[in-house]
Amino acid sequence: MTTQDDTRIVALIERAERETPFCDCGEPVAAIAQNREIWLRCTALKTSTGGTLQRLLTTLASTGHTRRLLIDRV
């Protein structure tokens, strides 16, 4: 990745956060790096560290919240 690529990525993230500052639920959104991807996500959704049931409940609760892929395979 070049410096020019880094600059484009930062600009993309900043634009996405500026265009969608809040989720429909009213919570702020933020760019979150996860598994070599960058997502724009509602900050009300925390990454689940619990067991299978906790991850399932977190996934079900995330329906309707902002979660948009910005960059794939950083």
Side-chain angles (χ1 to χ4, degrees), residues 20-73:
T20 310
F22 296 98
C23 179
D24 288 341
C25 74
E27 291 293 319
V29 298
I32 308 288
Q34 183 179 22
N35 300 328
R36 297 183 51 98
E37 299 171 333
I38 299 178
W39 291 83
L40 187 66
R41 287 189 21 194
C42 175
T43 57
L45 303 174
K46 305 285 189 247
T47 302
S48 177
T49 58
T52 304
L53 180 58
Q54 181 63 37
R55 287 192 304 272
L56 174 63
L57 292 174
T58 300
T59 300
L60 292 174
S62 70
T63 303
H65 289 278
T66 299
R67 185 173 188 267
R68 186 173 81 218
L69 181 64
L70 296 178
I71 300 167
D72 189 14
R73 297 190 182 118

